[in-house]
Amino acid sequence: MTEVADGLEASFEAQDGTGAAIARPMLAGSRAPGAAAFESFVRSGVGGLEVKAFTGASDAAGGVAVPDEIDTMIDATLKSISPIRSIANVVQVGSSGYRKLVTSGGTPSGWASETGSRDETATPAFHEIAPPSGELYANPAASQAMLDDAAFDVEQWLAGEIAAEFAKAEGAAFVNGDGTDKPKGFLQATVSLAGDATRSFGQLQYLPSGAAGAFGDDAEETLIDLVQTLRPPYRQGAVWVMNSATLARIRKFRTSAGEFLWQPSLAAGQPATLLGYPVVEAEDMPDIAANSLSIAFGNFKAGYLIAERSATQILRDPYSNKPFVHFYATKRVGGMVSNSEAIKLMRFSAS
């Protein structure tokens, strides 16, 4: 037995003496601490994750905070799937409530001589914006056998599942949400034919297409009129928003000179344009029908506000539906029109 041990020791000494690197399998613990801990939690329910105790409703209830690397993947995927999020003003909040003040009317001024008296000028009107919000959740599941498979990319799967669920719900709510336990979509705002000077704050101006459920005699002029209803300060950064069916009809329109109104992108990564402005396809916009608000044009960075909690919370539930493991993810999101002068709509009606 002593001879065997001496032989092994001599073999190790000979290997070390060559100076060659000894190939050893990498252990899970040698990776980045956050990634290893999260994968251990997802696969087996144990790990060194910090448990938080905060929700908007109760201090005693809480979940497990998603590591930064996972939260980053979810946000990046949401921007590519939910188009309104990518063009709106998104703010991160630390609580369930959010308030924003918006002024209207400007600050009037006046002229006077060098020694003339100065009368008091009017003060801008203040309006409080409080986006309605709700708890956005996803509850994907996987079998324990799939989680045990070492070749399965658990983190990528979890990020993709949550992102797909969140993007689907967000896209519909930002466009047409009723504001009850969810964001209020911009198409749910009160609409009016009145211009910016006379319209009440919070109402969106619409322009009739000239015919019920269709474009009028001159679609090009109607689209140009819609662009011009948006005042110049808002046109910088303005975009068109419509679904694919509406865009398909507009892409066939030609000018009197025979040129297409729609211009394809000339460079990779650049959007196609309509009358010089980018087009965003949002499938939650309604199809063209009688009295439908199927086209929006405006500066959504100035006109629509999204307020969200910065952290996504996940609860791992391996007990409710054995042998499946559920990952219950929640995120609080709110939204509403913040500046009704920055978004214009086209209603497919005669007036």
Side-chain angles (χ1 to χ4, degrees):
M1 193 68 179
T2 303
E3 293 178 358
V4 174
D6 292 342
L8 290 175
E9 185 175 352
S11 176
F12 288 139
E13 290 176 353
Q15 178 68 24
D16 292 339
T18 63
I22 302 175
R24 296 186 175 91
M26 181 174 290
L27 300 178
S30 63
R31 294 177 298 165
F38 184 66
E39 183 171 351
S40 175
F41 163 73
V42 170
R43 293 183 186 277
S44 61
V46 297
L49 288 182
E50 181 182 0
V51 177
K52 303 289 185 180
F54 49 75
T55 66
S58 172
D59 291 338
V64 179
V66 179
D68 289 343
E69 59 269 27
I70 296 297
D71 211 31
T72 301
M73 284 195 296
I74 293 174
D75 286 343
T77 308
L78 278 174
K79 289 180 180 179
S80 64
I81 295 176
S82 180
I84 304 304
R85 168 181 285 272
S86 66
I87 61 176
N89 179 24
V90 182
V91 297
Q92 304 292 333
V93 298
S95 62
S96 59
Y98 179 79
R99 297 287 190 275
K100 180 181 179 64
L101 288 178
V102 178
T103 62
S104 63
T107 304
S109 58
W111 293 95
S113 64
E114 181 180 356
T115 59
S117 61
R118 271 71 169 172
D119 296 329
E120 180 181 350
T121 59
T123 302
F126 286 89
H127 307 276
E128 185 181 61
I129 298 296
S133 62
E135 201 78 23
L136 182 60
Y137 73 93
N139 193 25
S143 67
Q144 185 61 55
M146 184 168 61
L147 295 178
D148 291 338
D149 184 358
F152 179 65
D153 191 341
V154 181
E155 293 167 309
Q156 184 65 33
W157 166 81
L158 184 59
E161 286 294 302
I162 294 175
E165 291 291 337
F166 282 9
K168 180 180 178 181
E170 279 189 350
F174 295 152
V175 173
N176 209 30
D178 60 10
T180 302
D181 296 330
K182 63 173 68 70
K184 186 173 183 178
F186 60 88
L187 291 187
Q188 289 297 311
T190 305
V191 297
S192 170
L193 272 171
D196 292 345
T198 57
R199 195 175 64 257
S200 300
F201 178 82
Q203 293 182 341
L204 294 183
Q205 181 181 3
Y206 77 88
L207 193 71
S209 65
F215 284 95
D217 295 333
D218 197 327
E220 179 185 2
E221 289 187 4
T222 304
L223 292 172
I224 292 174
D225 288 342
L226 183 61
V227 170
Q228 296 306 125
T229 59
L230 191 69
R231 292 194 287 115
Y234 298 120
R235 279 188 230 138
Q236 301 179 24
V239 298
W240 297 93
V241 179
M242 65 190 76
N243 66 19
S244 298
T246 304
L247 180 58
R249 297 181 63 170
I250 293 178
R251 287 185 62 176
K252 302 169 186 175
F253 293 159
R254 294 175 181 267
T255 66
S256 57
E259 299 176 350
F260 285 105
L261 294 180
W262 183 86
Q263 294 296 321
S265 173
L266 299 179
Q270 297 297 318
T273 60
L274 175 63
L275 298 177
Y277 295 94
V279 179
V280 174
E281 294 184 50
E283 293 308 312
D284 294 292
M285 291 289 288
D287 292 334
I288 294 177
N291 298 319
S292 65
L293 299 169
S294 301
I295 298 177
F297 177 75
N299 188 325
F300 283 76
K301 288 288 185 186
Y304 194 80
L305 174 68
I306 298 174
E308 65 177 4
R309 291 277 292 273
S310 59
T312 302
Q313 297 185 43
I314 290 185
L315 296 176
R316 186 181 191 276
D317 178 15
Y319 308 109
S320 300
N321 189 23
K322 295 187 291 291
F324 294 96
V325 179
H326 286 263
F327 300 93
Y328 176 65
T330 60
K331 190 172 189 178
R332 192 164 190 86
V333 182
M336 70 176 299
V337 172
S338 58
N339 185 345
S340 56
E341 295 183 355
I343 300 175
K344 306 296 181 179
L345 303 173
M346 178 173 290
R347 190 168 80 173
F348 284 82
S349 61
S351 59

